[in-house]
Amino acid sequence: MASKIRTIVIPAAGQGTRLLPATKVTPKELMTVYDRPVLQYAIDEAANAGAERVVIIIHPSKEAIRQYLTHDQKYIRDLEARGKHELGRTLAQLTPPKQMEIVFAYQHEPLGLGHAISCAADFVLPGPIGIILPDDVIFDAFCMGEMARNYTGGHMVAAMEVAPEDTCNYGIFRLAGPSVGRCVAVSGMVEKPALGQAPSRLAAVGRYILDPVVLSSLKSTKRGAGGEIQLTDAIAYDADTVALSAFRFTGTRYDCGTHDGLLEAAFARQSMVKTARQVVA
Ligand code: UTP
């Protein structure tokens, strides 16, 4: 039976160097994808998955993220008072549901994704932990909800097929059997394998449902690639004792940590918004 994912962690404390110079002052999670910030898509996905608590990891220099998520009813009322009813309605729709609590935890130094997740340890509710990397924007289907419905235990990581020449840019799964169906049993992961060395074409994408044991594993995870504490290393370490699966999601993923990805996502979103308007008209 599928387990409920009570906590979803959204790490947003990274430096976003690939989006410099804007990220000198604007967190990459607040970059706009057509009509709303990257982070909003992650919040909507967490709400769709039925999370009770969302833990957002931020760096003290990224307080704008907290401000963005401080939903001020007066702000909406003022818009309405100025006759901007449609804008008021849109902002009200973006407000997370009341039953989903949003809390913030700090990562004071960007020591890597694994370290960022360990900063959530004091805030997670019992049970498996969902993780949404906000800069991996996924359209067409809510990925975390889809994973939660298929999750039956262990560590589950979202996956997509990539071209052989692109495998060197991703964490690539080592398959434990034939790569069929949505849930694929895997025995491990190789981070950014050299060209021609990839064990498969199935690549990890930024959505995870992890057994809480990962928080203990992260405590003993040493710095890995790039001198950072890597979540992939903790997952690979657990693979001996925790069932590991890759989940082929149905949506389309955009790497909004890059200029090209942001642009492609914006065009996709523009098309969705315009189509929705035509349907209503
Ligand atoms: P990335 O590795 O894509 O983010 O992490 P980055 O390090 O900010 O990006 P570049 O490479 O410098 O451009 C994926 C997610 O994990 C968060 C990021 O904010 C992003 O949402 N992250 C990453 C942290 O919270 N802390 C970290 O130490 C690293």
Side-chain angles (χ1 to χ4, degrees):
M1 204 187 89
S3 320
K4 182 160 167 49
I5 312 304
R6 299 181 65 195
T7 314
I8 291 182
V9 180
I10 302 182
Q15 292 179 300
T17 49
R18 285 168 297 163
L19 291 182
L20 281 169
T23 44
K24 276 166 72 182
V25 287
T26 307
K28 75 168 164 182
E29 296 79 8
L30 295 184
M31 296 287 171
T32 300
V33 172
Y34 187 58
D35 63 340
R36 55 193 59 178
V38 162
L39 182 65
Q40 184 67 47
Y41 298 103
I43 297 289
D44 293 350
E45 197 175 317
N48 169 271
E52 281 170 49
R53 180 179 290 173
V54 172
V55 185
I56 304 190
I57 313 296
I58 56 172
H59 182 267
S61 66
K62 297 175 87 173
E63 279 293 327
I65 290 178
R66 188 196 274 272
Q67 284 163 17
Y68 174 73
L69 287 167
T70 303
H71 290 274
D72 183 355
Q73 291 308 314
K74 184 175 174 302
Y75 193 89
I76 296 175
R77 280 199 302 275
D78 287 351
L79 278 174
E80 302 261 353
R82 283 187 280 141
K84 298 186 184 294
H85 300 291
E86 201 179 326
L87 265 182
R89 264 196 302 279
T90 305
L91 286 201
Q93 276 165 12
L94 298 182
T95 309
K98 283 199 176 50
Q99 62 274 22
M100 188 172 90
E101 177 191 22
I102 297 198
V103 301
F104 294 88
Y106 285 87
Q107 184 192 29
H108 291 274
E109 264 186 283
L111 295 179
L113 177 59
H115 180 256
I117 300 306
S118 65
C119 295
D122 289 342
F123 301 91
V124 299
L125 299 167
I129 304 162
I131 299 173
I132 296 179
L133 304 196
D135 49 352
D136 267 349
V137 170
I138 298 179
F139 287 153
D140 305 329
F142 285 112
C143 185
M144 183 52 68
E146 206 171 56
M147 287 172 74
R149 285 191 294 281
N150 285 277
Y151 179 77
T152 51
H155 291 340
M156 177 190 257
V157 184
M160 65 180 193
E161 214 79 44
V162 297
E165 62 274 22
D166 290 336
T167 48
C168 54
N169 298 317
Y170 293 89
I172 300 293
F173 293 102
R174 204 183 289 286
L175 306 180
S179 172
V180 287
R182 292 240 164 261
C183 286
V184 181
V186 293
S187 57
M189 280 164 84
V190 185
E191 191 60 37
K192 300 193 173 78
L195 219 55
Q197 305 287 307
S200 75
R201 285 175 44 206
L202 203 57
V205 169
R207 300 290 183 276
Y208 308 77
I209 297 180
L210 302 180
D211 184 287
V213 75
V214 74
L215 293 174
S216 327
S217 310
L218 279 168
K219 281 190 194 146
S220 50
T221 303
K222 304 255 177 317
R223 290 182 190 232
E228 297 186 340
I229 297 173
Q230 301 288 352
L231 183 61
T232 312
D233 291 345
I235 294 173
Y237 171 83
D238 287 344
D240 286 342
T241 50
V242 177
L244 178 61
S245 61
F247 179 78
R248 273 184 227 273
F249 57 98
T250 57
T252 310
R253 173 258 191 183
Y254 298 88
D255 182 0
C256 290
T258 68
H259 297 292
D260 284 345
L262 270 175
L263 196 61
E264 285 160 16
F267 281 127
R269 172 73 186 164
Q270 181 194 43
S271 158
M272 284 189 277
V273 170
K274 293 202 163 162
T275 307
R277 277 192 201 133
Q278 277 162 6
V279 170
V280 170

